[in-house]
Amino acid sequence: MYSPHTEGDIKAMLAAVGAPSLEELIRVPDAVALKVPLDVPPALPEADLARKIAEYAARNTAATEYTSFLGAGAYRHYCPPVVMALAMRGEFLTAYTPYQAEVSQGYLQAIYEWQTYMCLLTGLDLANASVYDGATALAEGAIMAVNATGRSALLVSSAIHPNYRDVLRTYARGLDLDVDELPVAPDGTTDLSTLEARLADKRYAAVALQSPNFFGCVDTPHAREQEMFASTGTIPIAVVAEALSLAALVPPAAWGAQIAVGEAQSFGNPLNFGGPYVGFIACTKEHIRRIPGRLVGRSVDNRGNPAYVLTLQAREQHIRREKATSNICTNQAHCALVATIYLAALGETGLRRAAGLNLRQVNRLAERVCAVPGFSRAFAAPVFNELVVRVPSSTTTERVLAALRERKILGGLELAGWYPNLSDCLLMTATETTTDGQIDAFAAALGEIVRETKAAARA
Amino acid sequence: MPNAAPIPLVFETGKRGRATVYFGDGHALDEFLPKSALRESLPLPENSELDVVRHFTRLAQRTFSIDTGFYPLGSCTMKYNPRINEAMAAQPGFRDLHPFAPTDLAQGAIATMYELERALSAVFGMAQFSLNPAAGAHGELAALLIAKAYFRKKGEGAQRSTVIVPDTAHGTNPASAAMVGYKVVSLKSDARGRVDVAELKTALGSDTAVCMMTNPNTLGLFEDHILEITEAVHAAGGLMYYDGANANALMGNSRPGDMGFDLMHLNLHKTFSIPHGGGGAGAGPIGVAERFVDFLPTPVAVRDRDGKFSLDFERPESIGPMRSFWSNFAHVVRALTYIYANGGEGLTKISQLAVLNANYIRVAVKEFLETPYDEPCRHEFVASAQALKRETGVRALDIAKALLDRGYHAPTIYFPLVVPECIMIEPTETESKETLDGFINALREIMATAKSDPQKIKDAPVNTVVGRIDETRAARQPDLRWQPSL
């Protein structure tokens, strides 16, 4: 209980409101009154509570005892302690949405800085204050394109994160939108050879492509495809599941994307078993009235000083109700704040170094793992920090992962559930937190596993 | 006057080469990627760590929060955020856990999800919850997608096209309905501030899909005809949706499940003490009655007969996932910590004291502000500055700004829309009698000043770092980002 009321306070306050008891004050009609105590365990003193919850944390040994090569839309990166030290200040942590701008200038300015960072990184004109995560950013971006074009079908690469595509389908069912997919080419990028034919009847509101894609491959269209988008009035949407890649790769605006959506968890936010993360949406200025969610703008106050305020609220649910661009209200402000502080601390040099180290480690991983007999890269396209590896035909992904686990290694993600033709493949990730020693030990373990498999086969 | 000098943007300070170095020497990117794949420049500012610390510390100091003062923002439940929640969520076993970690190496996390799911089902009388949605509005959307899937399965998909929403509903309700293609019918409240049952009955028909309500409603009033309402909607073949934004009034007292609601969401960042973080992240679990369990968004945390926990994705009737990964998990840890800290009795007491605090302010402000619904309220109530405006020209907005000058956050204003010059006050249970007395006195003094010297209130705020902001200019000449000077 965190209420400050003494028995005396309660008595005095009940007298002031003219109620004989708390129970009387909150009485509801008998037919809907709960007549039994809540079926929730009794209160624990904080010292016991801390021990109890710590026991739950201790049972997640994947987080604490294993070397992990898992990625796939959730990345472990180094976050300088200064980031959380600042973000966890009570003023930031316990504020509400900054409706009263005069007493929220600090947070509003931080969001304005976040919006600017996302513009600088994507090359686009404006960005919102955040959405829930990468998958919902894609769904909201797709709805923007539907509203902009009046078309009700979407074309997405099947190399987009499977979870993002699933969420897009969830949203699409609500609005009766069709979602079609482009296949994957042999090199791991999206097969765009059928694009011209598919776009010809101007059925699609948007084409969404992810780079680096789910397989880690750099996957952006060329001038030829950009012309097809333009001539058919199809909106190109860039999907970015690993925001750190924006520090290295050609930004979405430079390949013609009008809308960029994605996940910025990598900027300082912990893995947290999947959330909260932070989705972003950036776009060209012609979509300004269609972008969902909060926007912070800079204006002036009645003393002539610059001042920040939530703006263009005529797009939003609390003003427009059923005519709003989206139903979003609460977003991921604090995760966006963490990202903003992370970007401010690292600066250009830090971000470039982090990106360079990711590139180096994934290339080392590729080299060492594929030096083990039977292991090979499934795709030839260049990667940023993850890659798809085919396991030897003498074994299975399941057996490889199980043998690695005995050596306290989480060797990557099986792809069979999403891509039946990749049932002998693993998606492996390396970031700047992955050491050379861990990569070498991983490769050595794979070598051992192969030898054991062969020995078992002989026996 | 506070020090009101503008704080330069992080982009306007610093120098190339000044950033504190956190990583070993990077590698030439073109060592690994073709030049055509690489961006040409990365124009980000470089500030020293100390400069970054001072910058964000100064921004924090210009941000009002629960930690700095009383925050009676109606319908937002700005209660104290216990710090044990933060410590628990930050443990490496939770913080560093990857969403694709093997289930048997993540049993503690899934158990945490399962136990929160069970506790929420018990407190609100639902069959099962999914912790998947990321916020309240997201939960609403999930629930309406369930309704749509349910009617489609019943062969009534095309016919059930309307959602009924009372005029006191949160703006997210009609906006969520629109996102699943439903037509919105708005329902007028009656003179007592409740849903008009007769009008509801005329609105009901074979086209009714869902009726969305919150109880207590946004006027802070308990919908005492709720059983009659849910029975009428069910008789018409429609479903009842419970908007859990006001759940802080209800715990241990009454349960949406027992009122006949089929679908509901909760805002863990309201009732369950999760910090709002300046607008998020929240968490919006949805609970359903037995016949909708199969439709819940995936995954759902379950326990098998051997006591093993898992995330259930194999639910063929499910509407599918609502977001990238399983839940806003760090918030799941915070909410479960809060529930175990309070226990069943504590949760019951929380709702009682939230209602006591609201009524304590209500009876006190009655002496100087109109309270259009003169009866005991629940966790919040509405007052109106209509008479004051007529008399002095001072509006609800002016009162809000005058409160900022006096160190209080403003209440919610101009919502719900049914009350002119509306002031909606929700103190929560974590505020002391002394704090409430201070707030009441400030409000009383503002009212007196409004009558003696109205201009003084219209000029507020003057003690804040900026004065009133030109919102028209912000919208007409949008400046949404810093631009590098050419």
Side-chain angles (χ1 to χ4, degrees):
Chain A
M1 279 286 289
Y2 300 95
S3 293
H5 300 68
T6 63
E7 285 306 317
D9 290 339
I10 293 173
K11 230 172 128 185
M13 293 170 80
L14 282 171
V17 305
S21 67
L22 287 171
E23 289 72 20
E24 265 318 300
L25 180 64
I26 64 159
R27 186 169 292 284
V28 294
D30 197 55
V32 292
L34 183 65
K35 300 203 178 69
V36 294
L38 288 178
D39 184 16
V40 171
L44 278 175
E46 188 169 297
D48 301 342
L49 173 63
R51 192 165 45 238
K52 181 181 171 83
I53 304 290
E55 281 164 15
Y56 288 85
R59 287 163 65 201
N60 304 316
T61 50
T64 48
E65 292 177 13
Y66 287 75
T67 302
S68 168
F69 293 88
L70 290 167
Y75 301 96
R76 192 180 54 165
H77 289 295
Y78 178 74
C79 179
V82 66
V83 176
M84 282 301 170
L86 290 166
M88 295 309 279
R89 283 186 63 109
E91 300 95 323
F92 288 138
L93 190 68
T94 73
Y96 198 74
T97 303
Y99 292 133
Q100 293 294 336
E102 296 90 340
V103 291
S104 310
Q105 284 298 296
Y107 216 126
L108 285 161
Q109 180 171 336
I111 298 171
Y112 182 90
E113 291 178 349
W114 152 263
Q115 291 174 180
T116 302
Y117 270 119
M118 295 324 293
C119 290
L120 294 172
L121 287 166
T122 59
L124 288 158
D125 300 326
L126 64 132
N128 72 2
S130 73
V131 291
Y132 307 130
D133 62 13
T136 62
L138 172 58
E140 294 275 10
I143 293 171
M144 285 172 71
V146 165
N147 293 337
T149 57
R151 302 176 188 172
S152 60
L154 301 156
L155 187 57
V156 302
S157 163
S158 35
I160 289 177
H161 196 303
N163 290 7
Y164 289 22
R165 283 180 284 132
D166 283 347
V167 172
L168 178 63
R169 288 214 161 75
T170 302
Y171 276 66
R173 275 190 290 275
L175 291 167
D176 297 317
L177 306 173
D178 293 326
V179 180
D180 297 333
E181 296 200 1
L182 286 163
V184 178
D187 71 346
T189 63
T190 305
D191 180 354
L192 295 171
S193 60
T194 61
L195 194 64
E196 189 161 20
R198 286 184 183 244
L199 295 190
D201 62 0
K202 303 184 179 178
R203 222 182 116 237
Y204 294 110
V207 172
L209 299 168
Q210 178 179 326
S211 181
N213 66 25
F214 186 63
F215 310 121
C217 301
V218 177
D219 190 0
T220 45
H222 302 100
R224 205 176 83 84
E225 285 90 24
Q226 289 171 35
E227 278 159 32
M228 291 177 201
F229 298 140
S231 66
T232 58
T234 312
I235 294 176
I237 298 179
V239 182
V240 182
E242 168 50 294
L244 185 61
S245 69
L246 291 167
L249 303 181
V250 167
W255 63 257
Q258 290 179 34
I259 298 171
V261 298
E263 175 62 69
Q265 174 263 327
S266 281
F267 295 153
N269 283 280
L271 288 169
N272 277 337
F273 198 44
Y277 291 175
V278 50
F280 68 85
I281 301 183
C283 61
T284 52
K285 55 181 177 293
E286 68 231 64
H287 296 297
I288 187 167
R289 308 272 158 189
R290 283 185 282 270
I291 195 168
R294 313 279 187 209
L295 287 170
V296 172
R298 184 157 58 169
S299 182
V300 292
D301 75 350
N302 57 8
R303 305 166 199 164
N305 291 320
Y308 302 90
V309 67
L310 291 173
T311 192
L312 296 171
Q313 297 192 68
R315 302 163 297 112
E316 290 190 62
Q317 47 77 28
H318 60 291
I319 308 286
R320 294 278 280 175
R321 297 174 82 86
E322 66 267 26
K323 294 189 181 66
T325 53
S326 166
N327 70 336
I328 191 166
C329 179
T330 287
N331 56 28
Q332 307 289 117
H334 196 258
C335 301
L337 175 77
V338 168
T340 305
I341 301 172
Y342 172 90
L343 291 166
L346 261 61
E348 177 187 343
T349 307
L351 211 60
R352 270 195 189 281
R353 283 189 175 197
L357 288 167
N358 276 256
L359 266 169
R360 177 186 182 274
Q361 295 312 81
V362 79
N363 279 283
R364 185 185 181 94
L365 179 69
E367 189 188 303
R368 296 295 153 99
V369 167
C370 296
V372 179
F375 287 86
S376 62
R377 284 182 69 164
F379 301 119
V383 296
F384 176 68
N385 67 1
E386 51 199 328
L387 78 160
V388 178
V389 172
R390 188 158 271 138
V391 305
S393 54
S394 56
T395 185
T396 64
T397 54
E398 200 183 349
R399 294 219 299 267
V400 171
L401 288 182
L404 285 167
R405 272 185 52 173
E406 285 171 20
R407 294 162 172 85
K408 296 277 179 188
I409 295 170
L410 302 177
L413 192 63
E414 293 180 281
L415 298 175
W418 296 302
Y419 303 95
N421 60 330
L422 298 178
S423 61
D424 58 346
C425 292
L426 293 172
L427 180 65
M428 299 176 179
T429 306
T431 70
E432 79 286 355
T433 64
T434 315
T435 65
D436 290 355
Q438 287 172 337
I439 291 171
D440 296 351
F442 181 33
L446 290 175
E448 267 174 45
I449 292 164
V450 170
R451 285 192 294 279
E452 282 167 12
T453 309
K454 278 190 185 144
R458 274 197 300 272
Chain B
M1 270 297 278
N3 172 12
I7 299 170
L9 290 163
V10 72
F11 308 99
E12 295 166 334
T13 59
K15 280 181 184 168
R16 235 188 122 85
R18 181 169 284 173
T20 301
V21 175
Y22 298 100
F23 298 103
D25 204 357
H27 290 254
L29 300 174
D30 58 6
E31 200 181 311
F32 304 107
L33 287 174
K35 275 228 156 64
S36 61
L38 295 172
R39 68 185 296 154
E40 280 164 19
S41 70
L42 183 66
L44 303 185
E46 302 218 324
N47 292 280
S48 71
E49 182 166 308
L50 176 57
D51 289 341
V52 170
V53 168
R54 289 202 178 129
H55 178 74
F56 287 100
T57 299
R58 292 177 70 198
L59 293 185
Q61 288 167 340
R62 291 185 180 190
T63 301
F64 194 97
S65 62
I66 302 173
D67 281 8
T68 50
F70 182 45
Y71 217 129
L73 196 61
S75 258
C76 299
T77 315
M78 295 299 282
K79 62 170 72 178
Y80 171 62
N81 308 136
R83 289 313 194 270
I84 179 75
N85 298 353
E86 300 310 310
M88 293 300 100
Q91 296 177 92
F94 293 137
R95 187 194 60 203
D96 299 336
L97 187 62
H98 194 282
F100 286 121
T103 299
D104 55 329
L105 304 181
Q107 284 292 294
I110 306 173
T112 304
M113 292 174 73
Y114 176 77
E115 290 190 18
L116 179 64
E117 186 282 307
R118 287 290 82 205
L120 297 179
S121 292
V123 175
F124 297 95
M126 306 307 279
Q128 197 169 30
F129 268 82
S130 164
L131 307 178
N132 192 239
H138 207 213
E140 290 177 14
L141 178 59
L144 292 172
L145 287 166
I146 288 177
K148 194 162 181 167
Y150 169 79
F151 286 123
R152 205 171 267 169
K153 193 184 170 196
K154 267 185 92 184
E156 298 176 12
Q159 164 199 340
R160 301 274 171 191
S161 57
T162 308
V163 165
I164 298 174
V165 178
D167 55 7
T168 54
H170 295 110
T172 49
N173 291 179
S176 299
M179 281 184 82
V180 293
Y182 281 138
K183 203 168 91 236
V184 177
V185 174
S186 183
L187 211 57
K188 274 212 191 74
S189 305
D190 67 14
R192 294 174 60 244
R194 269 77 167 191
V195 166
D196 187 326
V197 181
E199 192 178 316
L200 170 70
K201 284 181 176 164
T202 37
L204 287 171
S206 57
D207 62 330
T208 303
V210 183
C211 175
M212 302 178 81
M213 282 180 66
T214 179
N215 191 18
N217 64 28
T218 60
L219 298 168
L221 301 172
F222 194 84
E223 297 278 358
D224 36 20
H225 297 299
I226 190 62
L227 281 182
E228 208 182 323
I229 292 169
T230 54
E231 276 161 22
V233 170
H234 287 152
L239 308 181
M240 284 300 300
Y241 178 76
Y242 182 84
D243 173 341
N246 293 348
N248 205 43
L250 221 56
M251 292 185 291
N253 190 30
S254 188
R255 308 193 303 175
D258 300 333
M259 298 177 204
F261 284 96
D262 303 295
L263 311 159
M264 71 172 290
H265 87 261
L266 283 168
N267 305 73
L268 294 186
H269 47 293
K270 294 181 179 177
T271 311
F272 293 95
S273 81
I274 287 161
H276 285 68
I286 66 165
V288 295
E290 193 62 50
R291 63 185 164 138
F292 304 100
V293 159
D294 291 346
F295 296 96
L296 280 170
T298 50
V300 176
V302 294
R303 184 170 66 177
D304 69 15
R305 257 170 277 155
D306 306 327
K308 261 197 79 169
F309 298 97
S310 62
L311 295 174
D312 184 8
F313 292 90
E314 301 306 318
R315 302 170 77 94
E317 304 274 10
S318 165
I319 57 163
M322 293 294 295
R323 41 91 62 80
S324 305
F325 297 109
W326 331 138
S327 69
N328 273 356
F329 177 74
H331 286 351
V332 171
V333 176
R334 292 179 175 101
L336 190 69
T337 303
Y338 181 72
I339 288 172
Y340 285 173
N342 287 289
E345 272 180 45
L347 295 176
T348 304
K349 192 78 178 277
I350 283 167
S351 286
Q352 292 174 346
L353 293 177
V355 173
L356 178 66
N357 275 4
N359 277 289
Y360 184 74
I361 301 182
R362 184 184 61 81
V363 296
V365 305
K366 251 166 61 170
E367 80 182 68
F368 48 81
L369 264 177
E370 292 161 274
T371 49
Y373 305 98
D374 191 15
E375 59 172 299
C377 63
R378 299 289 144 174
H379 66 302
E380 65 189 4
F381 71 97
V382 296
S384 168
Q386 177 83 330
L388 182 74
K389 184 182 161 193
R390 232 178 270 131
E391 197 182 323
T392 64
V394 172
R395 300 175 300 152
L397 178 73
D398 304 316
I399 294 173
K401 300 302 180 193
L403 279 166
L404 304 182
D405 265 345
R406 286 153 182 81
Y408 296 99
H409 197 277
T412 295
I413 49 173
Y414 301 107
F415 181 83
L417 310 169
V418 294
V419 174
E421 295 299 321
C422 188
I423 298 173
M424 184 194 205
I425 296 173
E426 180 184 10
T428 83
E429 74 284 358
T430 56
E431 299 297 337
S432 67
K433 179 173 176 294
E434 288 79 359
T435 299
L436 305 184
D437 286 336
F439 175 72
I440 292 162
N441 289 337
L443 212 44
R444 182 185 290 118
E445 176 263 313
I446 290 168
M447 295 298 290
T449 308
K451 286 176 185 167
S452 61
D453 186 359
Q455 196 55 43
K456 213 165 172 183
I457 301 300
K458 289 184 200 170
D459 288 342
V462 294
N463 296 330
T464 48
V465 289
V466 297
R468 287 198 203 185
I469 297 159
D470 188 343
E471 295 191 22
T472 310
R473 171 175 154 150
R476 293 229 174 112
Q477 303 164 47
D479 169 1
L480 307 174
R481 58 170 294 193
W482 169 82
Q483 295 277 3
S485 52
L486 301 169

